[in-house]
Amino acid sequence: MAPLDELKIGGMGASRRRVEDNRFIRGKGNYVDDIVLPAMLHMQILRSPVAHARIKSIDTSAAWEVPGVRLVLTGETMAARNLAWMPTLSYDTQAVLATDKVRFQGQEVAAVIADDPYIAQDACDKIVVEYEQLPAIVNPIQAQKSDAPLIRDDKENQASNKIFDWEIGDKAATDQAFANADVVSKLDLHYPRSHPSPLENCGSIADFDRATGKLTVYMTSQAPHIVRAAVAMVAELPEHMVRIVSPDLGGGFGNKVPIYPGYVVSILASILTERPVKWVESNSENLISTGFGRDVYLEGELALRKDGKILGMRMKTISDHGAFYADAQPTKFKIGLMHSTFACYDIPTAHLVSEGFYTNKAPGGVAYRCSFRVTEAMFFQERMVHAAANDLGMDQAEFRKVNLVGDDMFPYRTAFGFLTDSGQYQKCLDVGMAAIGYDTFKQEQEEARKRGKLLGIGISTMTEPLGAGNSREYDIIGIKMFDSAELRVHMTGKALLRTGAKSQGQGHETTWSQIVAHELGIPAEDIVVEEGDTDSAPFGMGTYASRSTPVAGAAVAMVSRKIRAKARKIAAHLLEVSEEDIEWELGRFYVRGNEERGVTIQDCALAAYSNIPDGLEPGLENTAYYDPPNLTWPFAAYLCKVEVDAESGVWDVLNFVAVDDCGVRINPMIVEGQVMGGLTEAYAMANMQYITFDEEGNCIGANYMDYLLPTAWETPGFELHEVVTPCPHHPIGAKGVGECATVAGPAAFVNAVMSAIEHTGVRNVDMPLMPNRVYEALQTGKDVSGMPPVLSD
Amino acid sequence: MYPSRFDYDSPATLEEAIAILDEGGGEAKVMAGGQSLIPMLRLRFASPERVVDINGIPNLEYHRIDPDGTLRIGALCRHEDLEFSTIIADTFPTLAGAAHLVSDPIIRTRGTFVGSLCHADPQGDWSATMIALGGKIVVQGPQGRREIEAKDFVLGPFVTAMAFNEIAVEAVVPPAKGKALGGYLKLERRVGDFATASVAVALDMDGDTVTRAGCAMAGVGGQTIDANEAISVLQGKTLSVENIEAAAVAVAAVADPRTDHRGSSDYKRHIVETFVNRVLTSVANSEKKVAVA
């Protein structure tokens, strides 16, 4: 019998078309807003027009008068049910509907539930709120001033606007390294606020059934199981009477990890009205009130030896978390995995200090397409490395090669305690350099200068920690970060797979089937994947931080192996030999020494329901919970070549080469799609995106005319390459990859532009590198720092 | 993003539409492509009592060139019709240059040239081209039709010289005196973005002499800026390097940009100067090529 061709059954390495796309491109997806329940009501939220104010009064009487209005909720009504405040995923509290004060523009103040959303909006407009405005704090620099107004006066023992002080590393050893340095290179920069901007905004439909006592909530959540636990606690409902369903999600990017007030209000509204209540926010509401990314001031320095060796690293971060500390991160690490910075470089000692502050902005600092702050960590790293190479007068690639962790150094313990376990960093960089023509660039650049053209080349190399946990170190509000998969093989050999992850566009329905196909030889098309319903899916921590493949994907492989182990017993029974005499090849067991005599996995499945050996349980299904032994450590080497127009500051990408080593690729096409999507977002951050605030805390740019999402027109082409270093601990050798490009991408663009203009003496232009900022740097030779100013004359 | 309640009419004739506007007493709003109006309704920046959809009125989709060279653009001519027009590419290069820079391809399929003029956005592209070309807008009301010069059409941001009961039915661009040259350059942060700064330059040339020069700018003032007088320094002259620079400096001097997050006023003025220079230089070079050929 010819063995199965794994690519033909859609197994590992097959660039299978995404099965979910069939419904998405036909408009047949099933998103929260597509769901219509009988007798459903609609909710709209009234938001604060000001950033910081005491609420003197709220008059809802005119709203109640609008025909079709069923319920009007304010902080007062929420408070009567102990729901005016809710706990966050970072051990803070957040206002559901404001009672005492509003603390950011766009904060939820009241809600109207009506027969249709138009009526609800009309009634919202009729609510009169009297505000007594207070001075606003719009950045963490203001927040730390001694005379700064106290934002969180609701909290006992909160005397200032500081949320946390956190540090890691060896300060004394690092100080010593700096004392011994030949050269010290410094850089400070701001990673501007950006927004995850899923195409589908957040929303929920709460459906409380008084007869059964059961609450079902359809919700835009990347982590429905965490939400179930939180809802049970907040709403004081028994957990088995709470069902959270995340249907199709139109992107998440970290924006759909936090729990938003709208969800909670819709739940109470359904309990009170005993009818389903739908709430779906608008684009502007998403931009102004939900979890933003970044907004961190980073400064640091490298202790350098003349020959280029990095002796030590010091870094400080000051982060803006908005009015409530609500961005999820592993409990132990207050600023996420910021301390993974410089993990790809061999640095003997390092020290990191982080401070977080409340400001009068929406709660945020969420991990926008990154593993808990690694985007900021790696951006700073690669900008710092760029500056240091220049300070030493060394070539950018050469400086990196002197310091990259070598292939023979794994497992490698970083100065901050991470254990990187695999990679071929130099090789990735070499592949990228060859592809972009690095060796001839200097000549190209000089020749272009003679013609009045400014060319630049930028490098970004990094490894990042993807796939939290292990559970020893990683938890969110105490829940350990493992994940799960449940596999049911039906009697005809078709199968149903469920995991605790939740796809938002990552293509789980496609790739999970490929893992099962690889492990069991069941064709991928014979496997259906379900996620997101807490009543049916096994418990899992959800999808973010590139953790699906490293954790849930591993669980899929492990549950498949459990199935295979049972099928082996059945095969032995069918073949009438002992289990020890059975051999496995893809999709089939056979008798050792007699390959012709065998049974397929489908034969075993049928027997599991029709011909069970004595002493074996019927059926062929199982569940696996997977607690990864370590994070996975993919590597990226990105090189970008740009041309800057000196007259306008406009820059164009001439070539972009991305080399990704994410270990074994389950579906190469999906990996490439992830990299291209991430690079597109990276390009947008580097080039055009910002959300800023005026002195009063008014958000400038809370719409998609000001906050720009890149389109196919201006996004440059990307040339992708791969290097494969399997993950040593993952059952199929895979590493996370979904976020590598967003994380490593921005520095490649910025370093390229800087390379084109730094002959003027400029050292740093903060993102976004809009034409006017690049032009200013070219004209003045000085740094351009901070957010673009708001209207000023 | 739910608009206030409004009544919707879809009249079949202009006269019927004008009667509805007249009856509406200023509370009715005309919708052509709807690409600006619908977002404004959804954001509740506009809450008209009635929306008068003119898409059902026949024979307004046209753009055509009369025997004397006059270009006429009907009220329902879409941006895309001009983008892919075969008749304006050589005869009205300023319009052709702007056509593919108006917003994004999706909006261009639906939005209209005349509707965009009526929206009177200070960052709108078409107003600048119309002023540079010395165009007119034909409006029709209960008393019949009248023409308004493009330079007089916009009174301020989002305010035009039309009465509440008038509809802009046609844009008219006069023929060039000699050969029509020129172009449109726009600095935008992304396709579909409004102009950080843009310039429309329209030249009528007799050999290598400029017989008429027109220019207007978007994004660099409270409304579209008429720079026709500034660029008239080119009148009767050739496109020498010195003359081009003098014209670019003169145009930049009448720009009135504000510093904002898209750039400082100085930067925007510099962009205007650079862009005027580029359009004129490119015209000069193309003329040279023609001469050589």
Side-chain angles (χ1 to χ4, degrees):
Chain A
M1 230 182 129
L4 278 181
D5 180 340
E6 178 158 359
L7 291 180
K8 279 198 179 142
I9 64 163
M12 199 76 74
S15 280
R16 239 183 126 209
R17 287 192 179 177
R18 303 192 340 155
V19 295
E20 43 272 85
D21 288 349
N22 237 331
R23 62 179 191 277
F24 294 153
I25 63 174
R26 287 164 207 260
K28 297 288 185 188
N30 188 39
Y31 301 92
V32 165
D33 206 15
D34 292 319
I35 297 170
V36 175
L37 299 179
M40 187 169 77
L41 298 172
H42 298 263
M43 182 175 103
Q44 290 289 109
I45 291 175
L46 178 72
R47 296 176 181 278
S48 171
V50 292
H52 198 192
R54 215 163 285 291
I55 296 177
K56 293 182 77 180
S57 65
I58 302 180
D59 180 358
T60 60
S61 53
W64 281 102
E65 297 297 313
V66 177
V69 167
R70 304 289 167 172
L71 183 66
V72 182
L73 293 171
T74 63
E76 201 179 328
T77 38
M78 299 302 288
R81 294 173 173 267
N82 203 21
L83 283 174
W85 292 82
M86 63 179 182
T88 72
L89 297 174
S90 284
Y91 295 98
D92 194 5
T93 50
Q94 176 175 356
V96 177
L97 293 179
T99 47
D100 51 339
K101 284 203 307 193
V102 288
R103 292 174 172 83
F104 67 92
Q105 186 186 50
Q107 188 179 339
E108 299 79 1
V109 173
V112 174
I113 294 87
D115 291 348
D116 71 43
Y118 298 86
I119 297 171
Q121 188 60 55
D122 289 346
C124 271
D125 292 352
K126 290 190 160 36
I127 297 173
V128 182
V129 186
E130 208 183 335
Y131 296 102
E132 179 193 325
Q133 223 166 319
L134 300 168
I137 291 174
V138 297
N139 64 52
I141 313 300
Q142 291 174 354
Q144 50 190 307
K145 290 190 177 144
S146 57
D147 59 344
L150 185 63
I151 296 170
R152 294 300 302 275
D153 50 355
D154 58 292
K155 291 178 80 175
E156 276 177 40
N157 308 321
Q158 180 74 40
S160 75
N161 292 315
K162 186 178 275 190
I163 304 171
F164 61 79
D165 258 321
W166 190 79
E167 70 176 300
I168 191 167
D170 187 335
K171 183 172 186 306
T174 305
D175 288 347
Q176 192 56 50
F178 276 86
N180 297 340
D182 295 328
V183 175
V184 171
S185 184
K186 298 179 190 218
L187 187 71
D188 61 280
L189 57 83
H190 178 232
Y191 199 128
R193 187 185 190 90
S194 62
H195 200 78
S197 300
L199 289 184
E200 178 206 28
N201 298 317
C202 296
S204 55
I205 303 170
D207 183 13
F208 179 69
D209 185 331
R210 175 72 64 194
T212 61
K214 185 147 186 172
L215 172 71
T216 302
V217 190
Y218 302 87
M219 184 190 286
T220 50
S221 176
Q222 297 175 225
H225 283 95
I226 306 181
V227 174
R228 181 182 63 190
V231 167
M233 288 186 273
V234 174
E236 294 180 356
L237 291 165
E239 195 175 355
H240 67 296
M241 285 294 165
V242 179
R243 176 184 171 212
I244 306 295
V245 183
S246 275
D248 284 332
L249 295 185
F253 307 102
N255 184 253
K256 291 171 181 169
V257 173
I259 296 168
Y260 294 119
Y263 302 151
V264 178
V265 180
S266 72
I267 289 170
L268 180 64
S270 180
I271 291 172
L272 293 176
T273 59
E274 299 188 20
R275 288 170 66 172
V277 174
K278 177 188 274 187
W279 163 70
V280 176
E281 68 190 5
S282 68
N283 287 341
S284 291
E285 288 182 288
N286 181 274
L287 275 165
I288 202 172
S289 73
T290 66
F292 64 87
R294 334 297 184 218
D295 216 344
V296 184
Y297 295 80
L298 305 109
E299 58 177 86
E301 45 194 337
L302 289 179
L304 301 161
R305 212 164 58 195
K306 264 184 290 198
D307 63 359
K309 181 83 185 81
I310 303 172
L311 303 173
M313 191 282 293
R314 253 198 305 245
M315 189 168 152
K316 181 176 182 185
T317 71
I318 297 175
S319 48
D320 183 335
H321 298 261
F324 310 101
Y325 184 34
D327 44 308
Q329 41 235 317
T331 303
K332 277 172 75 171
F333 309 114
K334 294 302 167 203
I335 190 71
L337 304 185
M338 185 71 81
H339 57 302
S340 61
T341 189
F342 291 91
C344 70
Y345 299 108
D346 175 31
I347 300 180
T349 179
H351 185 237
L352 165 70
V353 176
S354 292
E355 294 176 4
F357 289 91
Y358 291 118
T359 60
N360 289 115
K361 287 147 100 174
V366 299
Y368 164 18
R369 202 167 183 170
C370 83
S371 186
F372 307 113
R373 299 282 187 183
V374 300
T375 309
E376 295 96 309
M378 301 311 164
F379 181 72
F380 181 80
Q381 166 196 303
E382 285 308 297
R383 291 287 301 119
M384 179 77 250
V385 163
H386 182 94
N390 285 349
D391 289 347
L392 286 168
M394 267 179 91
D395 174 74
Q396 290 293 336
E398 184 55 32
F399 179 63
R400 283 172 172 81
K401 287 187 172 186
V402 166
N403 291 291
L404 283 171
V405 171
D407 302 359
D408 56 353
M409 293 164 77
F410 296 112
Y412 177 85
R413 182 70 69 181
T414 74
F416 289 131
F418 285 109
L419 194 69
T420 57
D421 52 24
S422 57
Q424 303 173 67
Y425 299 170
Q426 306 260 358
K427 181 180 173 186
C428 290
L429 182 52
D430 285 337
V431 168
M433 288 166 67
I436 207 161
Y438 189 84
D439 291 341
T440 54
F441 177 75
K442 281 229 159 66
Q443 197 185 338
E444 205 184 325
Q445 189 181 37
E446 273 169 34
E447 281 167 13
R449 285 240 171 102
K450 285 181 201 148
R451 288 180 282 117
K453 303 275 184 198
L454 300 177
L455 297 191
I457 199 163
I459 304 179
S460 178
T461 47
M462 67 100 205
T463 185
E464 56 165 336
L466 300 184
N470 60 73
S471 70
R472 290 186 314 282
E473 285 190 286
Y474 298 96
D475 69 84
I476 289 178
I477 50 168
I479 308 169
K480 300 292 190 180
M481 297 188 74
F482 52 83
D483 225 292
S484 59
E486 178 203 278
L487 181 59
R488 297 182 184 179
V489 183
H490 308 316
M491 66 180 77
T492 57
K494 316 292 182 191
L496 166 64
L497 178 81
R498 291 172 168 144
T499 85
K502 175 59 206 163
S503 186
Q504 312 123 44
Q506 290 87 346
H508 292 178
E509 291 171 48
T510 309
T511 46
W512 291 166
S513 304
Q514 294 185 239
I515 296 174
V516 177
H518 172 71
E519 294 291 337
L520 291 177
I522 297 175
E525 64 188 31
D526 288 353
I527 300 146
V528 69
V529 174
E530 283 183 7
E531 291 179 341
D533 184 338
T534 58
D535 266 11
S536 57
F539 185 93
M541 289 296 273
T543 291
Y544 42 87
S546 290
R547 65 186 299 281
S548 292
T549 293
V551 194
V556 173
M558 299 312 271
V559 76
S560 301
R561 290 174 191 182
K562 285 185 178 179
I563 295 286
R564 195 165 76 206
K566 182 170 182 184
R568 175 186 289 272
K569 292 185 197 300
I570 297 171
H573 164 70
L574 294 175
L575 293 166
E576 298 177 322
V577 293
S578 79
E579 215 185 312
E580 293 71 45
D581 296 327
I582 295 280
E583 291 285 338
W584 166 257
E585 65 179 13
L586 188 64
R588 183 173 176 268
F589 295 101
Y590 61 89
V591 178
R592 187 176 304 122
N594 186 359
E595 280 190 36
E596 294 303 307
R597 219 176 130 228
V599 288
T600 64
I601 187 76
Q602 288 83 3
D603 295 333
C604 297
L606 182 60
Y609 297 87
S610 61
N611 179 11
I612 293 291
D614 289 343
L616 200 64
E617 277 180 69
L620 193 59
E621 55 184 72
N622 217 321
T623 304
Y625 281 81
Y626 188 80
D627 185 1
N630 190 8
L631 298 146
T632 69
W633 295 90
F635 186 78
Y638 296 160
L639 292 92
C640 175
K641 201 197 283 185
V642 299
E643 179 177 329
V644 177
D645 173 15
E647 281 186 332
S648 66
V650 171
W651 50 277
D652 289 314
V653 176
L654 303 178
N655 196 359
F656 195 105
V657 171
V659 185
D660 279 281
D661 179 356
C662 59
V664 175
R665 296 183 173 204
I666 302 164
N667 182 320
M669 184 175 68
I670 288 183
V671 171
E672 289 178 2
Q674 288 274 28
V675 173
M676 289 200 186
L679 288 175
T680 304
E681 287 176 293
Y683 170 70
M685 289 173 212
N687 185 286
M688 62 179 83
Q689 290 180 332
Y690 58 89
I691 300 179
T692 190
F693 293 80
D694 70 12
E695 290 164 357
E696 294 184 338
N698 295 307
C699 181
I700 311 298
N703 61 69
Y704 286 115
M705 287 183 286
D706 284 324
Y707 187 74
L708 302 174
L709 303 186
T711 73
W713 287 91
E714 58 279 329
T715 302
F718 304 116
E719 180 185 325
L720 309 187
H721 295 263
E722 69 170 2
V723 166
V724 176
T725 314
C727 175
H729 61 76
H730 189 278
I732 53 171
K735 302 177 179 183
V737 69
E739 300 165 335
C740 293
T742 345
V743 172
F749 292 108
V750 175
N751 285 344
V753 174
M754 295 312 298
S755 149
I757 66 172
E758 61 203 3
H759 60 282
T760 62
V762 59
R763 196 173 163 81
N764 182 52
V765 179
D766 274 346
M767 294 192 292
L769 271 64
M770 298 191 303
N772 58 310
R773 290 155 74 86
V774 174
Y775 179 77
E776 184 186 330
L778 268 169
Q779 290 296 303
T780 63
K782 297 212 171 79
D783 288 5
V784 182
S785 304
M787 295 296 278
V790 297
L791 206 64
S792 66
D793 65 26
Chain B
M1 295 294 273
Y2 295 95
S4 303
R5 180 170 290 277
F6 58 85
D7 290 329
Y8 171 85
D9 289 292
S10 181
T13 65
L14 274 174
E15 291 69 25
E16 205 186 319
I18 290 161
I20 296 167
L21 291 178
D22 196 37
E23 197 180 292
E27 294 303 322
K29 188 87 191 153
V30 174
M31 181 173 80
Q35 299 303 295
S36 298
L37 179 62
I38 290 175
M40 289 178 77
L41 292 175
R42 287 167 58 92
L43 291 163
R44 297 196 174 196
F45 289 161
S47 298
E49 286 174 10
R50 299 182 98 85
V51 168
V52 185
D53 180 354
I54 61 167
N55 286 277
I57 301 175
N59 306 322
L60 293 175
E61 297 87 356
Y62 62 89
H63 73 284
R64 62 168 183 263
I65 296 179
D66 290 348
D68 72 347
T70 303
L71 173 67
R72 297 185 182 276
I73 300 171
L76 290 175
C77 174
R78 316 285 165 180
H79 306 306
E80 184 191 67
D81 299 336
L82 298 174
E83 183 182 7
F84 297 114
S85 170
T86 52
I87 61 170
I88 67 163
D90 295 330
T91 47
F92 294 95
T94 309
L95 291 174
H100 66 280
L101 291 175
V102 173
S103 194
D104 62 41
I106 303 165
I107 284 179
R108 290 201 292 270
T109 63
R110 187 74 190 160
T112 66
F113 180 93
V114 173
S116 171
L117 298 178
C118 295
H119 183 52
D121 190 309
Q123 291 169 305
D125 300 294
W126 288 131
S127 289
T129 61
M130 282 292 281
I131 292 171
L133 287 160
K136 294 172 186 158
I137 293 96
V138 179
V139 303
Q140 184 173 336
Q143 319 315 327
R145 294 194 170 195
R146 63 183 178 119
E147 285 187 345
I148 306 173
E149 294 279 342
K151 66 183 171 55
D152 303 325
F153 187 67
V154 177
L155 302 182
F158 309 103
V159 183
T160 70
M162 282 195 297
F164 72 90
N165 53 9
E166 287 179 317
I167 294 178
V169 294
E170 186 181 82
V172 181
V173 185
K177 300 184 189 82
K179 186 168 172 47
L181 290 160
Y184 187 79
L185 284 180
K186 173 177 177 176
L187 180 66
E188 55 183 1
R189 298 169 302 170
R190 188 203 66 183
V191 169
D193 188 22
F194 289 103
T196 296
S198 76
V199 296
V201 176
L203 301 178
D204 294 353
M205 304 276 292
D206 180 8
D208 56 5
T209 306
V210 176
T211 53
R212 179 192 174 273
C215 180
M217 300 171 268
V220 288
Q223 62 191 69
T224 313
I225 292 200
D226 180 344
N228 283 319
E229 199 182 316
I231 205 169
S232 68
V233 297
L234 284 175
Q235 191 91 32
K237 294 192 180 151
T238 61
L239 293 177
S240 67
V241 172
E242 299 73 32
N243 291 342
I244 286 174
E245 188 49 37
V249 168
V251 170
V254 297
D256 184 24
R258 282 158 64 101
T259 292
D260 64 11
H261 45 273
R262 290 163 189 254
S264 67
S265 55
D266 286 347
Y267 173 73
K268 292 178 188 178
R269 191 172 279 113
H270 162 75
I271 289 296
V272 165
E273 187 182 323
T274 303
F275 281 6
V276 171
N277 197 315
R278 282 184 184 179
V279 176
L280 292 174
T281 303
S282 127
V283 167
N285 290 341
S286 70
E287 284 303 277
K288 271 180 211 148
K289 271 182 220 146
V290 172
V292 171

